[in-house]
Amino acid sequence: MSQRRRRWSRGLATLAGMALLLCAGLAGWAWYELRASLPQLDGEYALSGLQAPVGISRDALGVVTVEARNRADQARALGWVHAQERFFQMDLLRRSAAGELSALFGSAALPADRRVRVHQMRSRVATALGSWDDEARALLDAYAQGVNAGLAALGSVPFEYRLARSRPEPWRAEDSLLVIAAMYFTLQDNNAERKQRRTLMQQALPAPVVAWLMPSGSHWDAPITDARFADPALPSAQDFDLRTLDAHWLGDGVSAPPHAPPPMGGSNNWAVAAAHTRDGHALLANDMHLGLQVPALWFRSTLVLLDDAGQRLPMEASGVTLPGLPFLVVGSNTQVAWGFTNSYGDWSELILLDIDAEQPGRYRTPEGWAELVEVEELLAVRGGPDETMRIRLSSWGPVIGELPDGTPMVVRWIAHEPGAFEPGYVDLASVASVSEALDVAARSGIPAQNFVAVDAQGNIGWTVTGPMPLRRDDHPAEDARRSSQGSSWQGWLPAERRPRIENPEQGRIWTANSRVVDGEWLALIGDGGYDLGARTRQIRDRLLALETASAQDMLAVQLDDEAIFLSRWHARMLALLDDDAIAGSPARTQLRDALAQWEGRAAGDSVAYALVVAWRQRMIGVLADALSAPVRAVDDAFVYVEPAAEAWAWPLLEQAPAHLLHPAHASWRDWQLAVIDRVLEQIGTPADTAATAFPSWGELNPSRVQHPMSQAVPWLGRWLDMPEQALSGDAHMPRVHAPRFGASQRMVISVGREADSLFHFPGGQSGHPLSPFYGAGHDDWAQGRTNPLLAGEPKHRLVLAPAD
């Protein structure tokens, strides 16, 4: 080898070595930075603003116990812990509600920010905070100061900010109200989209057809008041006849997408009075259904107050907090336990502006002409130019879009009102009875929830939280209004008229996102698109079948995956696939054989369940597509979505009227078989071929519990996400499960016997992948194993000492 070539070889080797050293150095730096951002678990930390030392302990699952002498110190310490464990998740919540994600993630987040910023939530919560009393405001201030101190105490910023090439912004007291606003966005129809769909349908369909397709109830409903609802009546041939419609809009009757509405943010909760339990203590069960993530949405906490001698006071609040807020969300204070399900009442109003043709900036009101006001909002964009967003405001709320004919639409939403953020909820930690708890719930500024509570005396109760509008009855509440009519909201429902139930005769209370009451109370709450009621009915029937109940019985109901609702669809499929139908069709033959293995459960390994779900969703999808064909002539982007579509779809198949049969099919039997064949094609098996294998329910509906960063950078999922699993459950049964959705926690509380109460949740307690608590307890949640509600033996102890 020549000297020159040797020099080149040595040079390349040197460069390679330097590159390896650089890579090793970068990896070492990254590892150091990651470890430096771990929360402090033991020892002592001096925290400014504390009036007395605060003890922080963690058990084997990372459940935190905060022991403080007063509520301000407790809030400050909880903020410190939340920031250390979960600051990035808190940041996402406040930014998502304020429309400020682009400042962290760049222009890719602009569409989401534009949808949200129109509501101007940051300025609204700042106004709401100004009305808080000094004591409640002091808690938020102490919490915010604790958050910022906890963030500053980390040796490095949370790892997500390194990946996003950004830095965290300080926490402000108003940001806690933005966290509440984020839940409003998650749980309510902030743009009155259901009323938008109804308006389009009313422009194209006869009134009886609209009422049929958007039913006010069905026989599945199981309200606490035990009222009976009927399925909606089919329209007559004089009202509506598919045979007369334009074939262009009708399509072929099989190609429409399945009707699979997104999972409803909701939950199950119920209460059993002491007279109906085995140990004589009232029972509360609650599993809140929300998007699943790593770490968990909630943060398990026990909040303890000490007396001057350092001894625990009797009331200890145990359950879950929401990082960003300084109080317990659901749980028990040893005297009262409470839980939530979302109320799908009517919490937003759609107003169509009557515009002045001569002066388009004006709209008619009952008092005369009014001017639209235009304001500007600046959207900060990381790595790109900022964007100025112009928003048009009416006296009722922002303009959110236009109908196809150009009519501007305005939304008035309950979260726009200052009362939406009232601080009453902080008092729940100290209530001593169900009656007191219902009073507090009624004045709490949070999204409307079915609030169910039990107490140590064995009482049970229900009410709806949050502000409730009083509506004029001059116009159907479910319809949009013209601006010339004005808003129907005429103030707020007084406490004495608020729906409320205590100790019902049956000794049980149950709610699960469907109608809870009837009559005048239902009119007060309104209809914002309730769930079908099959899940509620299954829960009710299980509870009433238990003469005396235990905590384990309640967990069994929470994990109930029996497919009662879907069994009739399975029977219909089998009846269709008779010998004539399967003749000459290998795939149909195999399908019938697979359906014969029906076990009546939404089990992860069930093939039959997966096939029935696929056919039902496709069948309702093609029915809805045909029936809404005239609406697409008004708006070709229209998609029918209705959680209670079963209420009209099943009776339609049962009655099979000629005037509602798709003209492309000779009979209702032929239409249903054609849809079965389309399902077979969808899963890769044409009807005239043999299938290699049908998918199981777990393959179609796997559990995907992911960290937010891995959804943006998929290769990170290997280190950040929980393992994908084939779990049991579906939408219309107590065990609700979808790929990224399900029970965000499950708890069963026996008031007065909290040590025997149960809890588990997915995703784990800590947001740091090197923490021993990252993903801790997730597998127990997935497999339905129980953990205690109360914190276990402390494994780590930290003292926050006054720094002043």
Side-chain angles (χ1 to χ4, degrees):
M1 180 183 296
S2 69
Q3 185 175 1
R4 183 178 179 182
R5 293 183 68 183
R6 283 196 296 272
R7 285 199 301 270
W8 269 105
S9 297
R10 285 196 297 270
L12 289 173
T14 301
L15 287 173
M18 291 174 64
L20 287 173
L21 285 173
L22 179 61
C23 289
L26 288 172
W29 173 83
W31 181 256
Y32 171 81
E33 287 289 304
L34 185 60
R35 289 196 61 81
S37 63
L38 275 165
Q40 182 178 346
L41 304 181
D42 299 287
E44 185 171 308
Y45 183 85
L47 179 58
S48 295
L50 288 179
Q51 299 174 39
V54 177
I56 307 290
S57 62
R58 289 172 170 85
D59 70 3
L61 291 175
V63 180
V64 166
T65 299
V66 179
E67 297 177 304
R69 299 291 179 93
N70 57 72
R71 294 207 182 279
D73 280 0
Q74 190 179 78
R76 190 179 303 272
L78 185 63
W80 194 90
V81 172
H82 279 168
Q84 291 246 311
E85 296 278 13
R86 297 286 197 86
F87 187 84
F88 180 70
Q89 285 72 35
M90 297 163 60
D91 195 11
L92 289 187
L93 285 172
R94 67 171 171 177
R95 288 179 181 275
S96 66
E100 296 172 356
L101 290 169
S102 300
L104 182 62
F105 296 116
S107 59
L110 275 172
D113 280 352
R114 293 186 194 111
R115 287 193 297 271
V116 169
R117 186 65 73 87
V118 71
H119 295 281
Q120 299 179 291
M121 267 309 162
R122 184 168 285 282
S123 62
R124 292 183 190 278
V125 299
T127 299
L129 187 57
S131 68
W132 279 37
D133 62 76
D134 291 343
E135 183 179 355
R137 174 61 192 260
L139 288 181
L140 281 195
D141 287 338
Y143 179 81
Q145 292 161 16
V147 168
N148 291 324
L151 181 63
L154 294 172
S156 181
V157 298
F159 76 96
E160 295 95 341
Y161 294 96
R162 295 294 186 195
L163 293 173
R165 294 175 295 165
S166 184
R167 296 196 64 82
E169 296 289 333
W171 193 264
R172 295 181 279 185
E174 70 192 49
D175 291 339
S176 289
L177 299 194
L178 283 174
V179 170
I180 297 175
M183 300 311 294
Y184 271 104
F185 277 108
T186 297
L187 298 170
Q188 294 187 357
D189 188 359
N190 56 283
N191 283 335
E193 292 180 3
R194 189 167 189 265
K195 290 180 179 176
Q196 291 186 44
R197 291 193 296 272
R198 187 179 186 90
T199 300
L200 290 171
M201 292 169 71
Q202 288 171 329
Q203 291 181 356
L205 297 171
V209 180
V210 176
W212 178 55
L213 293 176
M214 302 191 81
S216 59
S218 79
H219 79 279
W220 287 104
D221 286 309
I224 305 170
T225 50
D226 203 31
R228 296 290 188 267
F229 291 87
D231 291 331
L234 271 66
S236 68
Q238 288 70 38
D239 287 326
F240 193 65
D241 192 332
L242 282 186
R243 296 168 295 189
T244 66
L245 299 186
D246 187 334
H248 168 73
W249 295 110
L250 272 177
D252 61 7
V254 295
S255 298
H259 182 263
M264 298 183 74
S267 310
N268 304 324
N269 67 2
W270 59 85
V272 180
H276 299 279
T277 66
R278 292 183 193 176
D279 61 9
H281 293 261
L283 284 168
L284 173 84
N286 187 205
D287 46 300
M288 297 184 285
H289 305 153
L290 293 162
L292 303 180
Q293 62 185 45
V294 183
L297 174 66
W298 312 110
F299 189 81
R300 294 189 62 183
S301 309
T302 295
L303 306 179
V304 179
L305 287 175
L306 306 176
D307 62 18
D308 292 338
Q311 300 300 308
R312 290 187 171 201
L313 293 173
M315 283 190 178
E316 300 179 3
S318 297
V320 297
T321 55
L322 177 59
L325 297 174
F327 49 75
L328 203 72
V329 176
V330 298
S332 169
N333 69 5
T334 73
Q335 296 300 306
V336 177
W338 64 93
F340 288 157
T341 70
N342 196 39
S343 167
Y344 280 91
D346 183 6
W347 313 122
S348 56
E349 191 171 48
L350 186 66
I351 300 174
L352 309 179
L353 297 187
D354 296 307
I355 295 294
D356 185 350
E358 300 298 324
Q359 299 183 50
R362 301 199 311 171
Y363 60 99
R364 187 182 294 280
T365 75
E367 295 77 32
W369 293 107
E371 296 283 342
L372 285 169
V373 176
E374 187 171 281
V375 298
E376 293 184 348
E377 291 273 331
L378 185 67
L379 301 178
V381 182
R382 185 186 64 79
D386 295 345
E387 178 179 299
T388 298
M389 180 178 177
R390 291 176 174 83
I391 302 169
R392 291 183 296 163
L393 299 174
S394 73
S395 56
W396 304 293
V399 175
I400 55 169
E402 295 180 348
L403 290 174
D405 63 6
T407 302
M409 299 181 293
V410 163
V411 68
R412 184 177 187 185
W413 179 28
I414 205 80
H416 293 162
E417 308 297 327
F421 300 96
E422 286 295 310
Y425 199 80
V426 299
D427 296 332
L428 267 179
S430 58
V431 297
S433 69
V434 159
S435 187
E436 288 181 40
L438 299 185
D439 289 342
V440 170
R443 65 174 189 267
S444 296
I446 58 174
Q449 300 291 293
N450 292 303
F451 179 91
V452 172
V454 304
D455 66 24
Q457 291 74 47
N459 302 301
I460 64 176
W462 163 88
T463 192
V464 177
T465 66
M468 295 177 61
L470 274 173
R471 301 179 181 89
R472 290 205 312 259
D473 60 2
D474 61 340
H475 186 79
E478 63 270 20
D479 290 349
R481 296 176 68 87
R482 306 298 310 194
S483 65
S484 54
Q485 298 173 295
S487 171
S488 69
W489 295 5
Q490 303 297 303
W492 305 103
L493 191 71
E496 62 272 15
R497 290 190 61 192
R498 182 175 290 266
R500 175 174 174 145
I501 294 173
E502 290 185 63
N503 296 321
E505 183 178 354
Q506 70 269 22
R508 288 95 165 169
I509 288 173
W510 55 87
T511 83
N513 313 125
S514 58
R515 291 164 186 79
V516 178
V517 290
D518 66 318
E520 180 187 356
W521 281 0
L522 180 57
L524 288 171
I525 297 169
D527 182 356
Y530 290 105
D531 201 5
L532 176 66
R535 173 162 48 97
T536 311
R537 181 167 153 179
Q538 191 162 333
I539 290 169
R540 179 203 65 184
D541 292 348
R542 297 293 196 233
L543 294 179
L544 295 179
L546 291 167
E547 187 173 341
T548 57
S550 68
Q552 288 294 334
D553 292 330
M554 300 297 92
L555 179 66
V557 177
Q558 289 177 325
L559 298 175
D560 181 10
D561 62 1
E562 185 177 356
I564 294 173
F565 165 77
L566 211 64
S567 60
R568 63 184 187 179
W569 286 87
H570 168 256
R572 176 173 286 277
M573 277 189 86
L574 273 180
L576 287 167
L577 292 168
D578 56 20
D579 291 344
D580 289 340
I582 68 171
S585 174
R588 285 186 182 180
T589 301
Q590 287 182 270
L591 175 60
R592 187 170 77 170
D593 292 343
L595 292 173
Q597 305 304 311
W598 174 260
E599 297 177 349
R601 295 175 52 246
D605 60 357
S606 175
V607 171
Y609 187 86
L611 293 168
V612 176
V613 168
W615 179 62
R616 174 186 174 271
Q617 290 181 347
R618 176 72 68 170
M619 194 69 235
I620 295 180
V622 300
L623 291 171
D625 185 73
L627 296 166
S628 63
V631 190
R632 290 194 299 282
V634 174
D635 182 353
D636 59 8
F638 177 82
V639 176
Y640 173 85
V641 179
E642 176 60 33
E646 177 84 10
W648 59 262
W650 181 263
L652 176 58
L653 292 178
E654 286 284 280
Q655 297 177 42
H659 66 285
L660 298 178
L661 172 65
H662 196 289
H665 301 276
S667 68
W668 279 93
R669 171 183 165 82
D670 287 349
W671 192 6
Q672 293 171 81
L673 285 171
V675 175
I676 286 176
D677 290 342
R678 179 50 62 95
V679 170
L680 290 171
E681 292 175 16
Q682 176 189 343
I683 60 179
T685 308
D688 58 353
T689 65
T692 53
F694 292 129
S696 68
W697 179 235
E699 291 175 292
L700 296 182
N701 190 53
S703 171
R704 295 194 181 104
V705 184
Q706 297 177 281
H707 191 283
M709 296 304 291
S710 76
Q711 296 181 45
V713 187
W715 60 267
L716 289 172
R718 178 179 177 184
W719 294 279
L720 298 180
D721 297 348
M722 297 297 101
E724 188 172 298
Q725 295 172 280
L727 301 183
S728 300
D730 196 6
H732 297 295
M733 57 187 58
R735 186 169 189 168
V736 169
H737 175 68
R740 294 181 176 86
F741 185 88
S744 63
Q745 50 72 248
R746 296 189 188 99
M747 70 178 189
V748 180
I749 299 179
S750 178
V751 182
R753 299 190 60 180
E754 279 75 12
D756 299 324
S757 300
L758 312 175
F759 190 97
H760 57 216
F761 71 170
Q765 179 86 328
S766 177
H768 199 294
L770 298 184
S771 168
F773 312 126
Y774 191 82
H778 175 83
D779 196 53
D780 292 333
W781 168 85
Q783 303 305 322
R785 294 190 294 264
T786 59
N787 298 135
L789 169 72
L790 299 184
E793 187 71 22
K795 301 297 182 183
H796 300 274
R797 294 182 185 272
L798 171 69
V799 174
L800 299 179
D804 305 325

